[in-house]
Amino acid sequence: MVYDPKQIEPKWQEYWQQNSVYKTEVDHNKPKYYTLDMFPYPSGKGLHIGHPLGYTASDIMARYKRMKGFNVLHPMGFDSFGLPAEQHAIDTGQHPAVTTEQNIATFKSQLSKLGFCFDWSREIQTSSPEYYQWTQWIFMQLFNSWFNYDTNKAEAIETLYTAFEQTGNQSINAACDEDVVEFKAEEWKAFTEEEKYKISLQYRLTYVADSVVNWCPALGTVLANDEIKDGVSERGGHPVERKKMKQWSMRITAYADRLLQGLDQIEWSDPLKEMQRNWIGKSHGAEMDFKVDGQEITLTCFTTRPDTIYGVTFMVMAPEHDLVAQLTTPEQKTEVEAYVEMAKNRSERERQSEVKRVSGVFTGSYVINPISGEKAPLWVADYVLAGYGTGVVMAVPGGDERDFRFARHFDLPVTAVVKSTRLDEKGEVLEANATKDDVMINSGFLNGMTCLEAIQAVIKKAEADGTGKGKVNFRLRDAVFSRQRYWGEPVPAYFKNDLPYMIKEEELPLTLPEISEYKPTADGDPPLGRAKGWLYQGKYPYELTTMPGWAGSSWYFARYMDAQNAEEFVNKEKAAYWNQVDLYIGGTEHAVGHLLYARFWAHFLNDRGFLPYDEPFKKLINQGMIQGNSAIIYRLKEDASKYVSAKQKDAYEAEDLVEIHVTVKALTGEDTLDLEVLREWKPEDFKNATFVADADGNFYCNRRVEKMGKRYHNAINPDDVIADYSADTLRCYEMFLGPLEQSKPWDTKGIDGVHKFFRKMWRLFHSFDDQGKFDTTQDTPTDAEQKIIHKAIKRVTEDLERFSFNTPVSTLMICVNELTDAKCNKHEILEKLLLIAAPYAPHIAEELWAKMGHVTSIHLANFPTHDEKYLQESSFEYPVSINGKKRTTINVPLDMPKGDIEKQVLANEIVQKWLEGKAPKKVIVVPKRIVNVVI
């Protein structure tokens, strides 16, 4: 019988689904194992060959742990709110829900063909009202909570009201707005209910405020920092500008310390942890107050180096700072306004990373140094960010490289304040010196102190004078939670007297209303502004923005534990049983987005008693990328219809050619293209094009390994690979390419070898004659056969326990080769072979398992354990050296005495030849290592 995966694989996929083989329930008699993939956004493009990499690894681990006796939770769902569906709706008028439903159907079809062991009864879709009801509910819990720094946790807002009732807010140590006004208990009691409510809004963990945001006009929405790449929107590559807008935000900053400390409790890679540490950016320093000369205005700045206060020669404000216009003199007004307008179009990430470009403008105002009393000019420059500290920086060019470049560019003074600063022969500072391991100079009363002593001395003086205070600061900003779009979770809030209120919990979910168009309104309102009569209780306007993409993904791991629960977001008993995700697999691109937000929400839900843990992902593996091998041709700049073969491009000047990526489906060889396929692929570009071929008549392209995706036309559909080979082949080949964490190029050269391996494994179970009938025997295995299989069991087990997914494929190949050489068709041996192969190749293993007479799925069987007795060696093959150079080997029993080994060596024919009848000077026997004959 011939191995036919096209018949085998659909049969078992249907069997697993119909028999709910992977359906999971709480079982206190078994240890649990929760393995999870970062769920996909269901785009219209479907899966490409890179997507199954992480899914296959988690699937292997889920199958392995199930066979090891664990109760395995391995769910899948869809992050189904997103900009692509919204853009499609804007372009076509088709409701995003329709597009999303079609895309999910495509994804599920592709995933099912790969044979993944998902428990589909737990499927979630973040755009389903049954799911986002609970996303809205969590938002409401955040709104009805405050963060108490004294207890270091979130508490119900009612406890804050009680504290106000008893002591006012003077002793409250809370995460709150900066402009909170102090009041006593008696004053609180005298406030109206609306006044009390308005005060509480300054403390709630989610709040409405004017925020400087990343506004993308082309997409009509605010973007998070992690949604911007290289200064433009990740989606579509559109320009992004900084703009002040009224937005919902969340006080993730309240959890900054907790999020830092939690990194020590989880098994994540060091680089990923470091990314989060840097993003949170904890720093110790001081806030210093600089009065504006001639005005009743004080600018407060945060600095980590208050010791360098005497080195301040100018001050810089962020272009978005509220006081820029007020502090700009009439003479500077035009220049400052033009600069601020220009700075709007540069993202925070771009402004931070671009160190060579120096720009800024003088406001015309001066500030007074609170320690030295000296005046310093006030500038505006986009290297200062409104979102970090106070949006104002005291510039010390003698101690900061960026300040130094700015000072040199604009001819501003530079003062050396630490002794080791390098000076030229004129006493001018040559470069910034940021060291803290030094002694202060040119610094008034600080002279002679070490930098660390001076830091404390300045803080002490500033606090005594009322001109500053010591402070811990974080780079992390509160998370903007509003998006000016339609396709997202509605915020369950309405406005009464311009104040936000939550709807009642029993009124959830607040579903998206139908609208005529999916663009912002003519007045600039978000698309929900088009919903006619969409008012709470018929009179109060709802919030018109929707939640960001990260809302639904920040808690989905918990919903999988109890996906069908209509009464609560997750049952506490089930949450306690499944607990943390034991293995989470996904990309590093989510390091400071999803992964940080999910940790934040889990910490909060734990504080309020809704989850029994605060860190959701116990172990995280970032899978590498499977890269595509692109095909590139060249077009003439001056003639858009003329294309040049890669082997002909050197006949043209490089600046006269434009690189064009074309579909890899047009390849007819390693680097030749079928021009008819190319014309059919993009007739608007190629139908009437002229192709300058090579002398041999072929049209060549260049190949380049790069990210796989639509932009490069190098994506490969896994359905095509499955059709050509099999799902088992694709699964094993992707693992075989290398360690999961590493990126590697897709190359089909090796895939045929993996497919041949499965055909070889298939033949082991069939007669070795021409008939090819299924044929295994009950004969007792030999010790040699036992050694082959138990060696493989041990290696596969050890590799999977350390999450090495590529090496077991080699082990299985070696095992099959050795069993084939031994012509082993023993039932006992081959049964174990199937069991260790099942996590990698579930279809062929299930088919052969059934043929062996089993009536229940192999994936519910027990994974074998190796028996060490079969791995004990009875003999050892010694390399024999003559004067240190290997000449031969001899195989002797392990328990043979040294003297007998020496006799055997000297009796050896090759050794005798080298001795030439003479006696050796010495024979050195190193047990289980080597024998050396000295002559």
Side-chain angles (χ1 to χ4, degrees), residues 398-443:
D400 180 89
E401 178 61 32
R402 205 153 192 176
D403 292 343
F404 181 80
R405 283 196 303 273
F406 193 91
R408 284 287 180 255
H409 186 80
F410 290 106
D411 198 24
L412 296 165
V414 181
T415 302
V417 289
V418 291
K419 192 173 182 180
S420 61
T421 303
R422 290 179 61 229
L423 308 175
D424 64 15
E425 62 277 4
K426 296 180 182 179
E428 300 271 335
V429 175
L430 289 171
E431 61 186 3
N433 184 359
T435 183
K436 283 186 179 180
D437 187 16
D438 209 335
V439 176
M440 307 304 301
I441 60 171
N442 301 325
S443 296

Side-chain angles (χ1 to χ4, degrees), residues 357-647:
R357 182 177 179 271
V358 177
S359 69
V361 60
F362 178 43
T363 65
S365 294
Y366 291 81
V367 296
I368 308 297
N369 189 313
I371 301 296
S372 71
E374 297 289 327
K375 282 203 295 187
L378 178 62
W379 287 68
V380 174
D382 67 359
Y383 77 89
V384 177
L385 305 178
Y388 181 74
T390 61
V392 181
V393 167
M394 62 175 224
V396 184
D400 180 89
E401 178 61 32
R402 205 153 192 176
D403 292 343
F404 181 80
R405 283 196 303 273
F406 193 91
R408 284 287 180 255
H409 186 80
F410 290 106
D411 198 24
L412 296 165
V414 181
T415 302
V417 289
V418 291
K419 192 173 182 180
S420 61
T421 303
R422 290 179 61 229
L423 308 175
D424 64 15
E425 62 277 4
K426 296 180 182 179
E428 300 271 335
V429 175
L430 289 171
E431 61 186 3
N433 184 359
T435 183
K436 283 186 179 180
D437 187 16
D438 209 335
V439 176
M440 307 304 301
I441 60 171
N442 301 325
S443 296
F445 79 100
L446 302 176
N447 284 338
M449 293 185 188
T450 67
C451 294
L452 296 178
E453 290 169 342
I455 288 173
Q456 297 308 314
V458 171
I459 292 173
K460 184 177 179 180
K461 179 171 174 53
E463 289 179 343
D465 294 346
T467 58
K469 61 182 178 180
K471 187 174 181 181
V472 175
N473 202 43
F474 292 91
R475 179 177 178 270
L476 181 68
R477 299 293 88 202
D478 280 348
V480 176
F481 200 71
S482 294
R483 298 294 184 270
Q484 289 65 30
R485 64 188 191 205
Y486 173 76
W487 192 232
E489 299 92 338
V491 177
Y494 65 93
F495 291 86
K496 179 180 176 182
N497 296 335
D498 212 28
L499 297 177
Y501 292 84
M502 294 295 108
I503 67 174
K504 298 174 183 176
E505 284 190 17
E506 57 267 27
E507 294 171 329
L508 294 176
L510 175 62
T511 56
L512 285 167
E514 295 293 328
I515 57 176
S516 56
E517 288 185 85
Y518 302 100
K519 298 183 291 187
T521 68
D523 298 330
D525 284 336
L528 286 178
R530 297 180 179 276
K532 292 182 170 59
W534 198 52
L535 300 168
Y536 182 65
Q537 296 180 345
K539 53 184 176 180
Y540 302 116
Y542 280 114
E543 170 61 53
L544 297 181
T545 62
T546 52
M547 296 187 193
W550 56 266
S553 63
S554 291
W555 72 280
Y556 76 115
F557 52 88
R559 187 60 177 174
Y560 280 135
M561 301 173 185
D562 196 14
Q564 308 306 322
N565 193 335
E567 305 301 320
E568 53 190 337
F569 87 109
V570 61
N571 173 270
K572 287 187 177 181
E573 179 194 346
K574 293 180 178 179
Y577 175 77
W578 293 115
N579 214 273
Q580 292 169 291
V581 175
D582 295 285
L583 175 63
Y584 196 34
I585 296 181
T588 54
E589 66 271 20
H590 301 290
V592 295
H594 156 64
L595 287 170
L596 194 62
Y597 298 135
R599 293 182 62 220
F600 161 42
W601 277 30
H603 277 258
F604 165 74
L605 291 167
N606 175 252
D607 284 353
R608 293 300 314 276
F610 301 124
L611 283 181
Y613 52 83
D614 56 10
E615 287 295 341
F617 312 121
K618 183 177 179 181
K619 182 176 180 63
L620 172 67
I621 296 178
N622 295 123
Q623 88 271 15
M625 186 184 299
I626 289 188
Q627 299 161 310
N629 201 330
S630 302
I632 298 163
I633 62 174
Y634 301 87
R635 190 192 73 207
L636 286 182
K637 272 186 183 176
E638 300 301 322
D639 185 351
S641 66
K642 191 172 182 179
Y643 295 86
V644 178
S645 170
K647 289 191 177 182

Side-chain angles (χ1 to χ4, degrees), residues 219-264:
L219 296 177
T221 191
V222 166
L223 300 176
N225 285 337
D226 57 283
E227 294 174 311
I228 302 167
K229 303 293 182 188
D230 302 320
V232 296
S233 65
E234 187 175 28
R235 168 71 183 172
H238 301 295
V240 177
E241 65 182 50
R242 304 287 289 160
K243 185 177 182 180
K244 183 164 281 192
M245 300 178 70
K246 193 174 286 294
Q247 304 284 295
W248 282 94
S249 291
M250 288 192 174
R251 298 189 203 276
I252 188 175
T253 49
Y255 284 88
D257 254 330
R258 292 252 306 262
L259 292 171
L260 277 174
Q261 293 163 11
L263 291 171
D264 296 330

Side-chain angles (χ1 to χ4, degrees), residues 39-266:
F39 62 173
Y41 172 76
S43 70
K45 301 185 291 290
L47 295 172
H48 64 61
I49 208 72
H51 290 110
L53 180 67
Y55 301 157
T56 301
S58 65
D59 191 74
I60 288 167
M61 189 54 63
R63 292 181 182 279
Y64 168 71
K65 288 292 185 179
R66 185 182 293 109
M67 295 173 75
K68 293 291 283 186
F70 287 82
N71 189 27
V72 175
L73 177 59
H74 186 42
M76 177 51 78
F78 300 95
D79 195 7
S80 49
F81 275 131
L83 271 173
E86 179 133 2
Q87 282 301 121
H88 186 72
I90 292 170
D91 295 340
T92 66
Q94 179 172 275
H95 196 287
V98 176
T99 308
T100 301
E101 184 179 354
Q102 293 170 349
N103 294 345
I104 287 175
T106 299
F107 267 60
K108 288 182 73 171
S109 171
Q110 290 181 292
L111 290 168
S112 67
K113 290 176 183 176
L114 284 153
F116 295 136
C117 63
F118 299 128
D119 179 357
W120 283 108
S121 70
R122 297 174 181 270
E123 177 190 350
I124 59 172
Q125 298 174 13
T126 58
S127 60
S128 164
E130 290 75 22
Y131 179 84
Y132 72 68
Q133 165 183 353
W134 298 107
T135 309
Q136 292 172 334
W137 179 84
I138 294 170
F139 178 88
M140 293 169 73
Q141 307 314 306
L142 283 154
F143 182 79
N144 290 319
S145 301
W146 66 292
F147 194 89
N148 186 344
Y149 281 121
D150 288 337
T151 60
N152 200 28
K153 63 186 291 188
E155 298 177 9
I157 199 71
E158 289 78 12
T159 65
L160 184 65
Y161 273 73
T162 300
F164 288 163
E165 186 85 18
Q166 295 172 350
T167 62
N169 70 345
Q170 293 169 313
S171 62
I172 297 296
N173 186 14
C176 58
D177 293 352
E178 299 251 339
D179 57 350
V180 168
V181 176
E182 287 189 357
F183 55 83
K184 297 178 180 179
E186 295 74 23
E187 294 174 287
W188 171 261
K189 293 171 185 175
F191 291 147
T192 66
E193 288 305 310
E194 185 171 290
E195 286 173 330
K196 291 178 179 178
Y197 182 73
K198 196 170 183 178
I199 290 170
S200 80
L201 294 175
Q202 296 182 295
Y203 291 84
R204 295 172 186 265
L205 282 179
T206 185
Y207 60 94
V208 179
D210 287 328
S211 305
V212 177
V213 296
N214 302 309
W215 171 250
C216 181
L219 296 177
T221 191
V222 166
L223 300 176
N225 285 337
D226 57 283
E227 294 174 311
I228 302 167
K229 303 293 182 188
D230 302 320
V232 296
S233 65
E234 187 175 28
R235 168 71 183 172
H238 301 295
V240 177
E241 65 182 50
R242 304 287 289 160
K243 185 177 182 180
K244 183 164 281 192
M245 300 178 70
K246 193 174 286 294
Q247 304 284 295
W248 282 94
S249 291
M250 288 192 174
R251 298 189 203 276
I252 188 175
T253 49
Y255 284 88
D257 254 330
R258 292 252 306 262
L259 292 171
L260 277 174
Q261 293 163 11
L263 291 171
D264 296 330
Q265 305 168 20
I266 49 183

